[in-house]
Amino acid sequence: MARRILLLGPPGAGKGTQAALIANALHVPHISTGDMLRAAVAEGSDLGSQVESVMAAGDLVSDSLVVAIVDERLAKEDARCGYLLDGFPRTLGQAEALNDLVIDAIGTVVVLDVASEVVVQRLLKRAEEEGRSDDNEETIRRRLEVYEADTSPLVNFYGAAVLTVDGVGAVDDVLSRIMIALAKS
Ligand code: ADP
């Protein structure tokens, strides 16, 4: 059976970490728009130079650019039997575009629930350790505002497909909560 999962949650909720583990456990590709955009920046491609300053400011790349990237990625053979989308959709426009791209685009939407004070602390710590260019305090605040304004409405948009999972705790504990919630869904 095709497993089509979306992972939603604020920046710093642990989406990237959990997405890789869930995708591995379910044998579906982990498709992260943030990773694809960072790779484009690192390569110095045309796309990379278009998005670099927007990402560094903590703002969202335009829906049309991101939808085009996802469209191309979902057309690949490995996504036919399912996928785990991480960081997409992030706006209502992207969510509507996804519904137009794939029939039955969404099976389950996992929302990682972490309070904003906790995510700010995590992101500041990651800034010290990894030096990601969008992990400074001002950009972190901006990314959280953008999440609240543009992405959190998706929880209502997806309604009954949503499973909310507590994202606070050890990586393995959060993973088991997600796998148990998915198994029941
Ligand atoms: P985080 O969830 O920690 O903010 P991501 O790796 O998902 O990190 O995204 C990093 C940045 O990449 C975002 O702040 C945004 O600029 C850009 N980005 C990623 N996915 C999208 C998307 N679906 N739509 C628009 N911009 C995106």
Side-chain angles (χ1 to χ4, degrees):
M1 192 198 70
R3 287 236 71 168
R4 292 167 173 158
I5 300 168
L6 303 191
L7 194 54
L8 284 183
K15 291 189 301 293
T17 305
Q18 294 298 334
L21 297 168
I22 302 163
N24 190 42
L26 299 179
H27 308 290
V28 293
H30 169 202
I31 301 178
S32 158
T33 45
D35 286 351
M36 289 190 281
L37 292 168
R38 273 187 292 279
V41 172
E43 269 167 26
S45 65
D46 281 353
L47 170 69
S49 49
Q50 280 182 68
V51 301
E52 189 168 12
S53 59
V54 178
M55 291 175 72
D59 286 319
L60 293 182
V61 170
S62 74
D63 284 357
S64 58
L65 265 182
V66 184
V67 169
I69 297 174
V70 171
D71 186 15
E72 196 182 317
R73 182 63 189 85
L74 291 181
K76 297 202 166 139
E77 182 66 28
D78 67 343
R80 280 188 39 189
C81 292
Y83 43 75
L84 188 283
L85 279 173
D86 162 15
F88 179 92
R90 239 182 174 86
T91 64
L92 285 170
Q94 292 177 18
E96 280 157 6
L98 179 61
N99 280 343
D100 293 340
L101 287 180
V102 192
I103 304 164
D104 272 340
I106 318 308
T108 314
V109 180
V110 175
V111 177
L112 267 186
D113 184 27
V114 180
S116 55
E117 311 85 76
V118 177
V119 298
V120 171
Q121 290 315 312
R122 287 184 182 178
L123 290 167
L124 287 172
K125 191 157 166 258
R126 185 168 82 185
E128 278 170 24
E129 288 165 2
E130 293 174 26
R132 221 174 92 168
S133 68
D134 61 353
D135 273 349
N136 62 74
E137 198 166 345
E138 193 187 331
T139 310
I140 289 169
R141 229 172 260 130
R142 176 74 194 136
R143 280 155 62 209
L144 282 168
E145 275 169 26
V146 169
Y147 179 79
E148 282 308 320
D150 296 338
T151 309
S152 66
L154 295 183
V155 177
N156 278 332
F157 178 83
Y158 286 122
V162 170
L163 302 173
T164 300
V165 175
D166 178 6
V168 180
V171 169
D172 283 352
D173 293 337
V174 176
L175 178 64
S176 357
R177 287 176 207 145
I178 295 172
M179 297 311 288
I180 289 168
L182 283 173
K184 286 187 194 153
S185 71

